[in-house]
Amino acid sequence: MSSSIDGLVPTRFLCLVAHLIVTIMIFWVRDYNVKASLASGYTQEEYTAKDTELIIGLSVALGLFALEFIGFFGGISMFMHSQGLISITAHAAGAGALTYFFFWRWTIIDFWMITAWANGLPALLDLIILINKRCIRRL
């Protein structure tokens, strides 16, 4: 095995953790992004609705992280090179995009698109791998 393939597991872990940390940071300072998603003369009800939407989005992202960490730490997809490359690419891009989301005050719609591609795709592939290895292979 070459050293570049050996580096996939720690790189995947670091990209997952970096993306997770940026997501948690957005929980703490979501006010700016909520306000960026609203018109200038917003009401308290509109603010509360957008804040709730962002909280739901962040919760979905954390759930997808949990699913991927279960597959990773459970050893189900840890040594699958194709899944590792997809996960590294998605989470590195996701961490970078969420950093821009955080600093440039992007809207909540942008957050949902980032979450779909950077969290949803690797988590879906991990779920498919989990079902394949745990359920289908037993038949």
Side-chain angles (χ1 to χ4, degrees):
M1 220 181 229
S2 72
S3 62
S4 63
I5 292 178
D6 292 339
L8 285 179
V9 175
T11 304
R12 181 178 176 195
F13 174 75
L14 291 174
C15 287
L16 269 164
V17 170
H19 191 184
L20 178 63
I21 289 170
V22 174
T23 303
I24 291 170
M25 286 177 55
I26 292 172
F27 254 121
W28 291 337
V29 292
R30 65 185 184 274
D31 181 58
Y32 297 113
N33 295 100
V34 170
K35 288 179 181 175
S37 299
L38 295 167
S40 60
Y42 62 88
T43 65
Q44 184 60 36
E45 293 82 25
E46 292 171 334
Y47 178 87
T48 304
K50 284 293 182 183
D51 188 46
T52 303
E53 182 183 352
L54 185 56
I55 289 172
I56 290 169
L58 289 165
S59 300
V60 167
L62 291 177
L64 293 171
F65 276 119
L67 178 65
E68 194 164 357
F69 273 117
I70 288 170
F72 182 73
F73 286 125
I76 297 166
S77 65
M78 183 182 286
F79 299 108
M80 296 189 75
H81 303 307
S82 58
Q83 172 62 9
L85 287 172
I86 291 169
S87 182
I88 288 167
T89 304
H91 289 295
L98 284 183
T99 302
Y100 275 101
F101 174 82
F102 175 72
F103 284 115
W104 289 58
R105 298 179 182 160
W106 288 354
T107 63
I108 296 171
I109 294 169
D110 298 322
F111 176 81
W112 280 108
M113 292 191 309
I114 295 166
T115 300
W117 290 105
N119 288 88
L121 178 64
L124 177 66
L125 293 175
D126 249 327
L127 183 63
I128 290 169
I129 292 167
L130 173 72
I131 291 170
N132 185 28
K133 284 195 171 190
R134 298 291 181 209
C135 299
I136 296 175
R137 297 255 172 120
R138 289 185 180 187
L139 298 177

